[in-house]
Amino acid sequence: MQKIRSGTLAALLLGSAFTPTLSFAAPADSAAIREAALQDDVAWDFTEGLTTEVGPRPAGTPQEARARDWAVAKLKALGFSNVRAEPYTMPVWVRGHDEAKILSPFPQNLVLAALGNSGSTTDKGITGEVVYFPTLADLEAAPDASLKGKIAFVSHGMEATQDGSSYGYFGAARRQGPSIAAKKGAIGILIRSIGTDHHRMPHTGVQMWADGVTPVPAAALSVPDAEQLARVIARGQPVKLHLTLTSKMLKDQPSGNVIAEIPGSDPAAGVVVAACHLDSWDQGTGAIDDASGCAIAAASALHVAKAGQPRRTIRVLMAGAEEVGGDGARAYFKAHGAEKHALAIESDFGADRVWRVDFKLPQGHEALATRVAAALAPLGIGASKQEAGGGADIAPLVRAGVPVIDLQQDGTRYFDLHHTPDDTLDKVDPAQLRQNVAAWAVTLNLIANASESMGVN
């Protein structure tokens, strides 16, 4: 996940219609689908297979290509229709050697990971004095050219929240910090990892250089190493650091999306997109980000199909290159944006239980939202009055006005693992994964079979 979904208060939306009354019963088919999905094994099998047989899947690399081939074969074997990869090309950043050492006053190694699109040092690295900034705002306030020849260090730390809301604020140090430091003359920048763990597991992630900025080496320190560096600086002596980051950029590398469908009976009713992303960062095996999301989307669509042909086509979109800026989402919209889309939904926040549902449906669809909320209530999921915002893999569709539902997963521990070497299969809880599948299955079933007219185009 590289773009956090952010809900805003929905001023005009559904009010009390989100709360099912005690007299409202979910349809019998929802109950049956929900119970079947709570016994699901497909999602675990998919997550285990992708992370074991492919492993890390950096965007635009041969590993991502193997993931597309794997996913196409798997989805065909599961019985999906119209399974295919849709290719495109893109520039690709490739990690090299990442290393940092405090030279003085207290020599020691630091654990770090280059950020996506980082500039590169030579093989011999660079040496500079560290300038400390407690927050990104402090870096922004530094005088122009004040960092000439220096290495900036931003140390503000993120706290865990259930909805991941702190990621938007603290993540700015990663997204914008390198450009700000470069504009002020820095020869490199280190940030405290945008994560909530206290392990020596640095969190990588993409950052985009501002127009006209020459890239400089940029890396995230693991949280314990960032705290160590801050303590060294607090001793009051100049801190000299040696940094080696030997990444490179490649042009026009192949990437692509994988698409599979459960065909609907009424082509005019539009398509329901169930999205995730197939790529991952290179350090772990991308189990929570986002193999499990793709597993949830595929398994839940199959549960709808087992109940009978839906009215609307359910299209599973396993996007490529989400982590580096959403290339797959843009490629999908370019290829399919003119088609009628009834609704979009995305899983890209791990595999812990869904606890809340947010809606952004057309005006007058309060009854449909109430039906969905009622079907989700037995799973311990509450309906909110916040407006759904979607995620990176469906962002172009949402901007075009396609309705969206967010099944919000518990993110309390997500940023302990996100973009780290610790994103591995053992972090996925099978019981919580099944609860996700059940939530998705009843939601997709109700939306795909809704009699209401929905969607754009």
Side-chain angles (χ1 to χ4, degrees):
M1 185 189 80
Q2 61 87 17
K3 179 180 178 182
I4 194 73
R5 51 178 74 91
S6 57
T8 56
L9 288 177
L12 300 177
L13 285 181
L14 309 169
S16 62
F18 279 115
T19 304
T21 63
L22 292 177
S23 61
F24 186 93
D29 57 333
S30 289
I33 288 172
R34 184 173 58 243
E35 293 309 309
L38 287 172
Q39 306 301 316
D40 177 78
D41 289 322
V42 171
W44 176 265
D45 179 66
F46 189 103
T47 307
E48 189 274 341
L50 181 58
T51 56
T52 301
E53 297 172 23
V54 179
R57 307 170 296 281
T61 66
Q63 297 99 303
E64 191 196 34
R66 288 199 298 117
R68 287 193 298 278
D69 292 342
W70 186 95
V72 166
K74 184 69 171 179
L75 292 166
K76 287 180 177 178
L78 288 170
F80 282 89
S81 299
N82 305 321
V83 181
R84 73 271 192 189
E86 296 187 345
Y88 54 86
T89 59
M90 55 177 285
V92 172
W93 176 85
V94 179
R95 184 185 309 281
H97 178 64
D98 300 345
E99 184 179 282
K101 299 178 180 179
I102 298 175
L103 301 180
S104 63
F106 312 122
Q108 56 193 281
N109 295 331
L110 299 174
V111 178
L112 81 174
L115 299 175
N117 295 329
S118 169
S120 182
T121 68
T122 66
D123 289 342
K124 294 182 179 180
I126 58 173
T127 298
E129 183 179 339
V130 177
V131 181
Y132 175 67
F133 299 97
T135 70
L136 181 63
D138 294 314
L139 173 62
E140 291 178 300
D144 292 344
S146 62
L147 296 180
K148 188 173 181 179
K150 307 291 180 64
I151 297 173
F153 168 45
V154 179
S155 74
H156 67 184
M158 185 170 73
E159 297 295 329
T161 57
Q162 188 176 22
D163 63 359
S165 55
S166 60
Y167 183 51
Y169 173 76
F170 288 102
R174 188 192 80 209
R175 295 187 298 269
Q176 291 127 38
S179 289
I180 295 169
K183 287 180 180 178
K184 296 179 185 295
I187 59 172
I189 178 173
L190 303 176
I191 65 167
R192 173 176 167 142
S193 279
I194 311 303
T196 52
D197 64 301
H198 280 81
H199 300 285
R200 296 189 88 180
M201 296 280 186
H203 296 240
T204 189
V206 76
Q207 51 84 40
M208 301 295 185
W209 296 104
D211 291 343
V213 172
T214 300
V216 299
L221 290 163
S222 78
V223 171
D225 289 84
E227 292 178 346
Q228 177 79 334
L229 180 56
R231 286 191 294 268
V232 171
I233 292 168
R235 294 298 196 267
Q237 302 178 56
V239 176
K240 185 176 288 187
L241 186 139
H242 186 76
L243 179 64
T244 305
L245 304 176
T246 58
S247 58
K248 59 183 178 180
M249 291 292 299
L250 305 175
K251 295 182 179 179
D252 300 325
Q253 299 301 298
S255 185
N257 298 328
V258 171
I259 287 176
E261 294 177 339
I262 304 295
S265 62
D266 182 2
V271 173
V272 178
V273 171
C276 61
H277 66 85
L278 200 55
D279 65 310
S280 76
W281 282 102
D282 55 317
Q283 295 180 285
T285 60
I288 67 156
D289 188 17
D290 187 29
S292 57
C294 289
I296 291 162
S300 59
L302 288 176
H303 282 284
V304 177
K306 289 176 184 177
Q309 185 180 26
R311 178 189 175 205
R312 294 181 171 89
T313 292
I314 299 173
R315 178 178 292 163
V316 176
L317 165 62
M318 298 184 177
E322 185 271 351
E323 294 291 4
V324 295
D327 296 75
R330 290 190 294 274
Y332 175 83
F333 191 77
K334 183 178 180 180
H336 300 282
E339 300 171 23
K340 182 175 181 179
H341 288 82
L343 184 119
I345 184 170
E346 176 175 344
S347 182
D348 183 18
F349 198 41
D352 283 355
R353 64 179 299 274
V354 178
W355 65 284
R356 193 183 86 197
V357 58
D358 305 335
F359 297 89
K360 187 178 181 182
L361 302 180
Q363 190 171 8
H365 285 62
E366 292 84 356
L368 177 57
T370 299
R371 296 200 302 273
V372 172
L376 293 172
L379 294 168
I381 299 168
S384 83
K385 296 181 182 180
Q386 288 193 297
E387 184 178 89
D393 297 311
I394 58 174
L397 293 172
V398 175
R399 285 194 293 268
V402 173
V404 59
I405 292 175
D406 289 340
L407 292 171
Q408 300 284 13
Q409 293 150 306
D410 188 336
T412 305
R413 68 182 186 123
Y414 182 74
F415 290 104
D416 288 353
L417 310 169
H418 178 248
H419 295 180
T420 75
D422 226 8
D423 181 1
T424 49
L425 181 67
D426 56 298
K427 310 311 185 302
V428 178
D429 180 335
Q432 295 191 69
L433 182 65
R434 290 188 181 100
Q435 190 260 8
N436 273 262
V437 174
W440 267 64
V442 296
T443 301
L444 286 177
N445 180 58
L446 288 168
I447 296 298
N449 288 297
S451 60
E452 289 90 345
S453 176
M454 297 176 63
V456 297
N457 297 334

